[in-house]
Short mmCIF file of all heavy atoms in Angstrom, two decimals:
data_model
loop_
_atom_site.label_atom_id
_atom_site.label_comp_id
_atom_site.label_asym_id
_atom_site.label_seq_id
_atom_site.Cartn_x
_atom_site.Cartn_y
_atom_site.Cartn_z
N SER A 19 -36.02 11.54 -20.64
CA SER A 19 -35.92 11.92 -19.24
C SER A 19 -34.74 11.28 -18.53
O SER A 19 -34.57 11.46 -17.34
CB SER A 19 -37.20 11.51 -18.51
OG SER A 19 -37.39 10.10 -18.60
N SER A 20 -33.91 10.53 -19.24
CA SER A 20 -32.80 9.85 -18.57
C SER A 20 -31.76 10.82 -18.04
O SER A 20 -31.10 10.56 -17.04
CB SER A 20 -32.12 8.86 -19.53
OG SER A 20 -31.64 9.55 -20.67
N GLN A 21 -31.56 11.98 -18.71
CA GLN A 21 -30.61 12.97 -18.25
C GLN A 21 -31.19 14.36 -18.43
O GLN A 21 -31.74 14.68 -19.50
CB GLN A 21 -29.29 12.89 -19.04
CG GLN A 21 -28.45 11.67 -18.69
CD GLN A 21 -27.11 11.75 -19.36
OE1 GLN A 21 -26.97 12.34 -20.41
NE2 GLN A 21 -26.11 11.15 -18.75
N PRO A 22 -31.10 15.26 -17.42
CA PRO A 22 -31.56 16.63 -17.57
C PRO A 22 -30.64 17.40 -18.49
O PRO A 22 -29.46 17.04 -18.65
CB PRO A 22 -31.48 17.18 -16.13
CG PRO A 22 -30.44 16.36 -15.47
CD PRO A 22 -30.55 14.98 -16.08
N THR A 23 -31.14 18.46 -19.11
CA THR A 23 -30.33 19.26 -20.02
C THR A 23 -30.48 20.73 -19.72
O THR A 23 -31.45 21.18 -19.15
CB THR A 23 -30.74 19.03 -21.50
OG1 THR A 23 -32.09 19.49 -21.67
CG2 THR A 23 -30.64 17.57 -21.88
N VAL A 24 -29.46 21.50 -20.11
CA VAL A 24 -29.50 22.95 -20.05
C VAL A 24 -29.00 23.47 -21.38
O VAL A 24 -27.88 23.15 -21.78
CB VAL A 24 -28.63 23.50 -18.90
CG1 VAL A 24 -28.50 25.02 -19.02
CG2 VAL A 24 -29.24 23.16 -17.55
N GLY A 25 -29.81 24.25 -22.07
CA GLY A 25 -29.39 24.83 -23.34
C GLY A 25 -28.98 23.78 -24.35
O GLY A 25 -28.12 24.02 -25.19
N GLY A 26 -29.57 22.60 -24.28
CA GLY A 26 -29.25 21.55 -25.23
C GLY A 26 -28.07 20.71 -24.83
O GLY A 26 -27.76 19.72 -25.48
N SER A 27 -27.34 21.09 -23.74
CA SER A 27 -26.18 20.31 -23.28
C SER A 27 -26.59 19.38 -22.16
O SER A 27 -27.31 19.77 -21.24
CB SER A 27 -25.07 21.24 -22.77
OG SER A 27 -24.65 22.10 -23.81
N LEU A 28 -26.13 18.15 -22.22
CA LEU A 28 -26.47 17.19 -21.18
C LEU A 28 -25.75 17.52 -19.89
O LEU A 28 -24.55 17.81 -19.88
CB LEU A 28 -26.08 15.77 -21.63
CG LEU A 28 -26.89 15.18 -22.78
CD1 LEU A 28 -26.33 13.82 -23.14
CD2 LEU A 28 -28.35 15.04 -22.38
N LEU A 29 -26.49 17.49 -18.78
CA LEU A 29 -25.88 17.66 -17.47
C LEU A 29 -25.45 16.31 -16.93
O LEU A 29 -25.95 15.27 -17.37
CB LEU A 29 -26.90 18.30 -16.50
CG LEU A 29 -27.29 19.74 -16.79
CD1 LEU A 29 -28.37 20.18 -15.79
CD2 LEU A 29 -26.09 20.66 -16.70
N PRO A 30 -24.55 16.28 -15.96
CA PRO A 30 -24.17 15.00 -15.36
C PRO A 30 -25.38 14.30 -14.76
O PRO A 30 -26.29 14.93 -14.24
CB PRO A 30 -23.17 15.42 -14.27
CG PRO A 30 -22.68 16.75 -14.68
CD PRO A 30 -23.83 17.41 -15.38
N THR A 31 -25.39 12.98 -14.85
CA THR A 31 -26.49 12.22 -14.27
C THR A 31 -26.48 12.37 -12.77
O THR A 31 -25.44 12.62 -12.16
CB THR A 31 -26.34 10.72 -14.61
OG1 THR A 31 -25.07 10.28 -14.15
CG2 THR A 31 -26.47 10.47 -16.08
N GLU A 32 -27.62 12.24 -12.14
CA GLU A 32 -27.72 12.37 -10.71
C GLU A 32 -26.95 11.24 -10.03
O GLU A 32 -26.87 10.14 -10.55
CB GLU A 32 -29.19 12.35 -10.27
CG GLU A 32 -29.98 13.55 -10.79
CD GLU A 32 -31.41 13.50 -10.32
OE1 GLU A 32 -31.74 12.57 -9.56
OE2 GLU A 32 -32.19 14.39 -10.69
N ALA A 33 -26.45 11.53 -8.85
CA ALA A 33 -25.68 10.54 -8.11
C ALA A 33 -26.51 9.30 -7.87
O ALA A 33 -27.67 9.37 -7.49
CB ALA A 33 -25.22 11.12 -6.78
N GLY A 34 -25.94 8.16 -8.12
CA GLY A 34 -26.62 6.90 -7.85
C GLY A 34 -27.30 6.28 -9.04
O GLY A 34 -27.64 5.10 -9.01
N THR A 35 -27.51 7.05 -10.11
CA THR A 35 -28.19 6.48 -11.27
C THR A 35 -27.24 5.68 -12.16
O THR A 35 -27.69 4.87 -12.95
CB THR A 35 -28.84 7.59 -12.11
OG1 THR A 35 -27.80 8.49 -12.58
CG2 THR A 35 -29.86 8.37 -11.29
N ASN A 36 -25.96 5.94 -12.03
CA ASN A 36 -24.96 5.21 -12.83
C ASN A 36 -24.04 4.46 -11.89
O ASN A 36 -23.21 5.07 -11.22
CB ASN A 36 -24.16 6.18 -13.69
CG ASN A 36 -23.23 5.47 -14.65
OD1 ASN A 36 -23.21 4.25 -14.73
ND2 ASN A 36 -22.45 6.24 -15.38
N PRO A 37 -24.16 3.14 -11.81
CA PRO A 37 -23.31 2.37 -10.87
C PRO A 37 -21.83 2.63 -11.12
O PRO A 37 -21.39 2.66 -12.26
CB PRO A 37 -23.68 0.91 -11.17
CG PRO A 37 -25.04 0.99 -11.79
CD PRO A 37 -25.07 2.27 -12.57
N ALA A 38 -21.11 2.85 -10.05
CA ALA A 38 -19.68 3.13 -10.16
C ALA A 38 -18.95 2.57 -8.95
O ALA A 38 -19.56 2.27 -7.94
CB ALA A 38 -19.44 4.65 -10.25
N THR A 39 -17.65 2.42 -9.10
CA THR A 39 -16.82 1.97 -7.99
C THR A 39 -15.72 2.98 -7.76
O THR A 39 -15.31 3.69 -8.69
CB THR A 39 -16.18 0.60 -8.27
OG1 THR A 39 -15.37 0.70 -9.46
CG2 THR A 39 -17.25 -0.47 -8.48
N ARG A 40 -15.26 3.08 -6.54
CA ARG A 40 -14.13 3.95 -6.20
C ARG A 40 -12.94 3.07 -5.85
O ARG A 40 -13.07 2.15 -5.06
CB ARG A 40 -14.48 4.84 -5.02
CG ARG A 40 -15.50 5.92 -5.33
CD ARG A 40 -15.78 6.78 -4.11
NE ARG A 40 -16.78 7.78 -4.38
CZ ARG A 40 -16.51 9.01 -4.83
NH1 ARG A 40 -15.25 9.35 -5.02
NH2 ARG A 40 -17.47 9.87 -5.06
N GLU A 41 -11.82 3.38 -6.45
CA GLU A 41 -10.61 2.59 -6.21
C GLU A 41 -9.49 3.52 -5.77
O GLU A 41 -9.11 4.43 -6.50
CB GLU A 41 -10.20 1.85 -7.49
CG GLU A 41 -9.00 0.96 -7.33
CD GLU A 41 -8.70 0.18 -8.61
OE1 GLU A 41 -9.58 -0.55 -9.08
OE2 GLU A 41 -7.59 0.33 -9.13
N LYS A 42 -9.00 3.30 -4.56
CA LYS A 42 -7.93 4.13 -4.03
C LYS A 42 -6.65 3.91 -4.83
O LYS A 42 -6.26 2.78 -5.10
CB LYS A 42 -7.69 3.81 -2.56
CG LYS A 42 -6.69 4.74 -1.89
CD LYS A 42 -6.55 4.41 -0.42
CE LYS A 42 -5.56 5.33 0.26
NZ LYS A 42 -5.43 5.03 1.70
N MET A 43 -6.02 4.99 -5.23
CA MET A 43 -4.79 4.88 -6.00
C MET A 43 -3.67 4.35 -5.10
O MET A 43 -3.55 4.73 -3.94
CB MET A 43 -4.39 6.23 -6.59
CG MET A 43 -5.37 6.75 -7.63
SD MET A 43 -4.91 8.37 -8.27
CE MET A 43 -3.50 7.95 -9.30
N THR A 44 -2.85 3.46 -5.66
CA THR A 44 -1.73 2.91 -4.92
C THR A 44 -0.63 3.96 -4.79
O THR A 44 -0.62 4.97 -5.51
CB THR A 44 -1.15 1.68 -5.62
OG1 THR A 44 -0.61 2.09 -6.89
CG2 THR A 44 -2.23 0.62 -5.83
N SER A 45 0.30 3.72 -3.88
CA SER A 45 1.44 4.63 -3.74
C SER A 45 2.20 4.75 -5.05
O SER A 45 2.64 5.83 -5.44
CB SER A 45 2.36 4.13 -2.62
OG SER A 45 1.70 4.11 -1.39
N MET A 46 2.34 3.62 -5.75
CA MET A 46 3.05 3.62 -7.02
C MET A 46 2.32 4.47 -8.05
O MET A 46 2.92 5.28 -8.77
CB MET A 46 3.21 2.19 -7.53
CG MET A 46 3.95 2.06 -8.85
SD MET A 46 4.11 0.33 -9.34
CE MET A 46 5.01 0.51 -10.88
N ARG A 47 0.98 4.32 -8.13
CA ARG A 47 0.20 5.07 -9.10
C ARG A 47 0.23 6.56 -8.80
O ARG A 47 0.32 7.40 -9.70
CB ARG A 47 -1.24 4.56 -9.06
CG ARG A 47 -2.16 5.09 -10.15
CD ARG A 47 -1.88 4.44 -11.47
NE ARG A 47 -1.19 5.31 -12.40
CZ ARG A 47 -0.76 4.92 -13.60
NH1 ARG A 47 -0.94 3.68 -14.00
NH2 ARG A 47 -0.15 5.76 -14.39
N LEU A 48 0.18 6.92 -7.50
CA LEU A 48 0.25 8.32 -7.11
C LEU A 48 1.60 8.92 -7.47
O LEU A 48 1.69 10.08 -7.90
CB LEU A 48 0.00 8.45 -5.60
CG LEU A 48 -1.45 8.27 -5.14
CD1 LEU A 48 -1.50 8.19 -3.62
CD2 LEU A 48 -2.33 9.41 -5.64
N THR A 49 2.67 8.13 -7.29
CA THR A 49 4.00 8.61 -7.64
C THR A 49 4.12 8.84 -9.14
O THR A 49 4.69 9.84 -9.60
CB THR A 49 5.08 7.62 -7.18
OG1 THR A 49 4.99 7.47 -5.76
CG2 THR A 49 6.47 8.10 -7.55
N ILE A 50 3.58 7.90 -9.93
CA ILE A 50 3.59 8.06 -11.39
C ILE A 50 2.86 9.34 -11.78
O ILE A 50 3.34 10.13 -12.59
CB ILE A 50 2.94 6.84 -12.06
CG1 ILE A 50 3.81 5.59 -11.86
CG2 ILE A 50 2.72 7.10 -13.55
CD1 ILE A 50 3.14 4.31 -12.30
N ALA A 51 1.68 9.56 -11.19
CA ALA A 51 0.90 10.75 -11.50
C ALA A 51 1.66 12.03 -11.15
O ALA A 51 1.71 12.99 -11.93
CB ALA A 51 -0.43 10.71 -10.74
N ARG A 52 2.29 12.02 -9.97
CA ARG A 52 3.02 13.21 -9.53
C ARG A 52 4.23 13.49 -10.41
O ARG A 52 4.43 14.63 -10.87
CB ARG A 52 3.46 13.04 -8.08
CG ARG A 52 4.34 14.17 -7.55
CD ARG A 52 4.67 13.97 -6.08
NE ARG A 52 5.32 12.70 -5.83
CZ ARG A 52 6.61 12.47 -6.03
NH1 ARG A 52 7.39 13.42 -6.51
NH2 ARG A 52 7.13 11.29 -5.75
N ARG A 53 5.01 12.46 -10.68
CA ARG A 53 6.24 12.66 -11.45
C ARG A 53 5.95 13.05 -12.90
O ARG A 53 6.63 13.92 -13.47
CB ARG A 53 7.09 11.38 -11.41
CG ARG A 53 7.77 11.16 -10.07
CD ARG A 53 8.53 9.85 -10.04
NE ARG A 53 9.57 9.80 -11.06
CZ ARG A 53 10.78 10.31 -10.93
NH1 ARG A 53 11.11 10.93 -9.83
NH2 ARG A 53 11.68 10.20 -11.89
N LEU A 54 4.95 12.43 -13.51
CA LEU A 54 4.63 12.77 -14.89
C LEU A 54 4.06 14.18 -14.99
O LEU A 54 4.32 14.90 -15.96
CB LEU A 54 3.67 11.75 -15.49
CG LEU A 54 4.24 10.35 -15.71
CD1 LEU A 54 3.21 9.45 -16.35
CD2 LEU A 54 5.48 10.41 -16.61
N SER A 55 3.26 14.57 -14.00
CA SER A 55 2.72 15.93 -13.99
C SER A 55 3.85 16.94 -13.87
O SER A 55 3.89 17.95 -14.59
CB SER A 55 1.73 16.11 -12.84
OG SER A 55 0.59 15.30 -13.02
N GLU A 56 4.78 16.68 -12.95
CA GLU A 56 5.92 17.58 -12.79
C GLU A 56 6.75 17.66 -14.06
O GLU A 56 7.18 18.74 -14.47
CB GLU A 56 6.79 17.10 -11.63
CG GLU A 56 6.14 17.27 -10.26
CD GLU A 56 6.97 16.64 -9.15
OE1 GLU A 56 8.01 16.02 -9.48
OE2 GLU A 56 6.60 16.77 -7.98
N SER A 57 6.96 16.50 -14.70
CA SER A 57 7.76 16.46 -15.92
C SER A 57 7.10 17.27 -17.03
O SER A 57 7.74 18.10 -17.69
CB SER A 57 7.96 15.01 -16.37
OG SER A 57 8.66 14.97 -17.60
N LYS A 58 5.81 17.05 -17.22
CA LYS A 58 5.09 17.71 -18.31
C LYS A 58 5.01 19.22 -18.08
O LYS A 58 5.07 20.02 -19.02
CB LYS A 58 3.68 17.12 -18.42
CG LYS A 58 2.93 17.55 -19.66
CD LYS A 58 3.53 16.97 -20.92
CE LYS A 58 2.64 17.26 -22.13
NZ LYS A 58 3.26 16.78 -23.38
N GLN A 59 4.89 19.63 -16.82
CA GLN A 59 4.70 21.04 -16.50
C GLN A 59 6.00 21.82 -16.41
O GLN A 59 6.01 23.03 -16.65
CB GLN A 59 3.93 21.17 -15.18
CG GLN A 59 2.50 20.67 -15.26
CD GLN A 59 1.85 20.54 -13.89
OE1 GLN A 59 2.44 20.94 -12.88
NE2 GLN A 59 0.67 19.98 -13.84
N THR A 60 7.09 21.16 -16.06
CA THR A 60 8.34 21.88 -15.79
C THR A 60 9.43 21.68 -16.84
O THR A 60 10.37 22.47 -16.88
CB THR A 60 8.90 21.49 -14.41
OG1 THR A 60 9.24 20.09 -14.42
CG2 THR A 60 7.89 21.75 -13.31
N ILE A 61 9.33 20.63 -17.64
CA ILE A 61 10.37 20.36 -18.65
C ILE A 61 9.90 20.81 -20.02
O ILE A 61 8.85 20.36 -20.49
CB ILE A 61 10.74 18.87 -18.68
CG1 ILE A 61 11.33 18.43 -17.35
CG2 ILE A 61 11.73 18.58 -19.80
CD1 ILE A 61 11.68 16.95 -17.29
N PRO A 62 10.66 21.70 -20.68
CA PRO A 62 10.29 22.12 -22.04
C PRO A 62 10.61 21.01 -23.05
O PRO A 62 11.71 20.92 -23.58
CB PRO A 62 11.16 23.36 -22.27
CG PRO A 62 12.34 23.17 -21.38
CD PRO A 62 11.86 22.40 -20.18
N HIS A 63 9.61 20.15 -23.28
CA HIS A 63 9.79 19.04 -24.21
C HIS A 63 9.79 19.51 -25.66
O HIS A 63 9.05 20.43 -26.03
CB HIS A 63 8.63 18.04 -24.07
CG HIS A 63 8.65 17.20 -22.85
ND1 HIS A 63 8.55 17.70 -21.58
CD2 HIS A 63 8.70 15.84 -22.70
CE1 HIS A 63 8.55 16.71 -20.70
NE2 HIS A 63 8.66 15.58 -21.35
#
């Protein structure tokens, strides 16, 4: 009973049952994410 299932596949646990923390991304981290996404999507590597 720890996790509900549909068709044998586990569904995400209900909110609050798994302790978690939220951490705001820094300006530097956001820039890294943006630039690498742009690079991967627009440059034919």
Side-chain angles (χ1 to χ4, degrees):
S19 60
S20 59
Q21 288 187 331
T23 64
V24 170
S27 299
L28 291 177
L29 292 176
T31 56
E32 295 181 3
T35 61
N36 186 3
T39 59
R40 290 180 181 269
E41 183 176 302
K42 186 177 180 180
M43 294 178 73
T44 64
S45 298
M46 181 179 180
R47 188 76 254 175
L48 286 170
T49 300
I50 292 171
R52 174 177 57 81
R53 286 176 60 83
L54 291 182
S55 295
E56 290 174 356
S57 176
K58 190 68 172 176
Q59 293 168 7
T60 63
I61 297 178
H63 286 63

